[in-house]
Amino acid sequence: WIDRDRSKHVPMQAVSQIANPRLVKRSDKRVLSELFWLSARYLRIKTNDLRNVVIMIGQAPIIAALVCLIFSQLTVSVPFLITLSAIWFGTSNAAREIVAEAAIYRRERMFNLRIGPYILSKLAVLALFGAIQAILFSVIIQVGFRSTDPAWHDLGSTIGWVWGLTVCAAVIGLTISALVNTAEKAMTIVPLVLIPQVMLAGVVARIDVQLVEVLSYLSPTRWGNEGLCLLQGQVHDARFDAIEDPVFRDSFKSTATARDVLESQYHDSYENLFGAMAYTVNLDMIVLGVITVVLLVVVWVAMRRKDSI
């Protein structure tokens, strides 16, 4: 009886010898392979809810059509609204993506799920949807302002810039989602993050206080709007419409360079701090890139801290 019972159970030492090679093999799994399968699974989950995908992508053409309908001239408000919309799309798309599957993440983390591929898989799929939104939004803006003076130009740069903003904003949304423990808290924090983006962009109100100028450096909307204005080059000068004297009106230009408009809205310390880099697309790209990388690190740290919960 004893021999028969022993034959049915593997000794603990043998179990450990069999299990250890499996654990080593699993921990050596390639990062790119893990990233691919996580991205494929996440994409399949998103596309299974077709109605939500249609609503998410449909935001872009609806808002773009409203911009074209409301504005008859290409003023500085148009690039600002494009920038704000891109930030809004990216943040709202990602704000619940991590916290909504917290239980799944903890379970898979126990089986050697890597944090880096997990975060990047979310960003990759969100960037894909952001690219579709950027294309639809930019094409409608291009068509809507093709006959104005000045007209919207350089569709390719517009698509690339709007897509980059949605990616940066998606990282903002992932940061919110990683720092909270419920989806309701995430959606409550989203307006607290997005509303300051409106005030710190330097379009709604002139930035005439140095402290506010420094705070605006943390706002992707400020850099996104500046870069988009510079890519556009010229905008309609709203002051031209307010001139009633026909003699003076003939001598006043109806268009203005984007840099002239921006210089009238920002604090003097901006140019003093950045020198020749101020009011350049290169600086806008660098700052947006730094913001994105820093927030990705914050997301990684927040996810790493969940291991101890």
Side-chain angles (χ1 to χ4, degrees):
W1 290 347
I2 293 175
D3 292 338
R4 186 170 60 184
D5 182 72
R6 286 176 177 175
S7 65
K8 295 179 181 179
H9 299 85
V10 181
M12 292 302 298
Q13 183 178 2
V15 171
S16 63
Q17 291 175 353
I18 295 174
N20 285 338
R22 291 182 180 178
L23 292 176
V24 172
K25 183 178 180 180
R26 182 171 302 211
S27 64
D28 290 338
K29 189 176 182 179
R30 293 184 302 171
V31 175
L32 292 179
S33 176
E34 187 173 1
L35 173 60
F36 172 79
W37 289 111
L38 287 172
S39 301
R41 184 185 67 175
Y42 181 45
L43 179 61
R44 186 168 61 251
I45 292 173
K46 296 293 290 184
T47 53
N48 283 341
D49 190 355
L50 188 59
R51 180 179 300 179
N52 183 60
V53 171
V54 171
I55 293 174
M56 179 175 62
I57 295 178
Q59 296 173 355
I62 292 173
I63 301 301
L66 285 174
V67 172
C68 296
L69 182 64
I70 294 172
F71 292 90
S72 59
Q73 293 289 340
L74 182 55
T75 64
V76 71
S77 298
V78 174
F80 168 66
L81 288 175
I82 297 173
T83 301
L84 185 61
S85 299
I87 297 295
W88 197 286
F89 295 155
T91 305
S92 60
N93 291 347
R96 293 182 296 182
E97 297 308 303
I98 291 179
V99 68
E101 55 180 39
I104 298 174
Y105 168 79
R106 283 195 295 268
R107 182 168 64 249
E108 294 186 347
R109 179 68 175 151
M110 295 173 62
F111 289 89
N112 291 341
L113 172 69
R114 289 182 174 87
I115 298 177
Y118 177 79
I119 297 172
L120 293 179
S121 69
K122 298 291 185 186
L123 186 58
V125 175
L126 292 171
L128 175 62
F129 288 115
I132 299 173
Q133 289 177 312
I135 293 172
L136 293 174
F137 201 104
S138 302
V139 168
I140 294 175
I141 292 296
Q142 177 80 25
V143 173
F145 292 97
R146 69 181 183 278
S147 58
T148 57
D149 183 24
W152 194 273
H153 67 90
D154 200 352
L155 177 61
S157 295
T158 304
I159 293 174
W161 194 258
V162 174
W163 177 69
L165 289 175
T166 59
V167 172
C168 178
V171 178
I172 297 175
L174 292 176
T175 304
I176 296 173
S177 191
L179 292 175
V180 299
N181 54 9
T182 64
E184 291 75 15
K185 289 181 181 179
M187 299 314 296
T188 302
I189 294 176
V190 166
L192 298 178
V193 174
L194 294 179
I195 292 176
Q197 303 284 331
V198 179
M199 297 182 287
L200 294 174
V203 176
V204 176
R206 184 183 185 276
I207 301 177
D208 51 8
V209 179
Q210 188 168 3
L211 176 60
V212 179
E213 174 72 22
V214 174
L215 290 175
S216 72
Y217 296 158
L218 304 176
S219 171
T221 306
R222 180 239 167 87
W223 303 104
N225 175 68
E226 178 180 297
L228 195 58
C229 286
L230 293 172
L231 288 173
Q232 167 57 24
Q234 285 190 329
V235 294
H236 181 77
D237 196 337
R239 295 172 296 177
F240 179 82
D241 299 328
I243 299 174
E244 298 180 357
D245 187 349
V247 177
F248 183 63
R249 186 183 180 92
D250 291 339
S251 63
F252 194 90
K253 294 183 178 180
S254 62
T255 59
T257 63
R259 173 162 182 164
D260 290 339
V261 177
L262 293 172
E263 286 180 346
S264 65
Q265 293 297 112
Y266 294 155
H267 194 268
D268 296 337
S269 61
Y270 171 47
E271 193 167 0
N272 295 334
L273 177 62
F274 291 99
M277 287 288 292
Y279 302 105
T280 62
V281 177
N282 290 336
L283 177 62
D284 302 326
M285 293 176 60
I286 291 172
V287 176
L288 288 171
V290 169
I291 292 175
T292 302
V293 172
V294 170
L295 290 180
L296 281 174
V297 173
V298 174
V299 175
W300 190 92
V301 172
M303 299 300 293
R304 185 69 178 84
R305 293 186 62 184
K306 294 179 184 293
D307 291 348
S308 60
I309 298 176

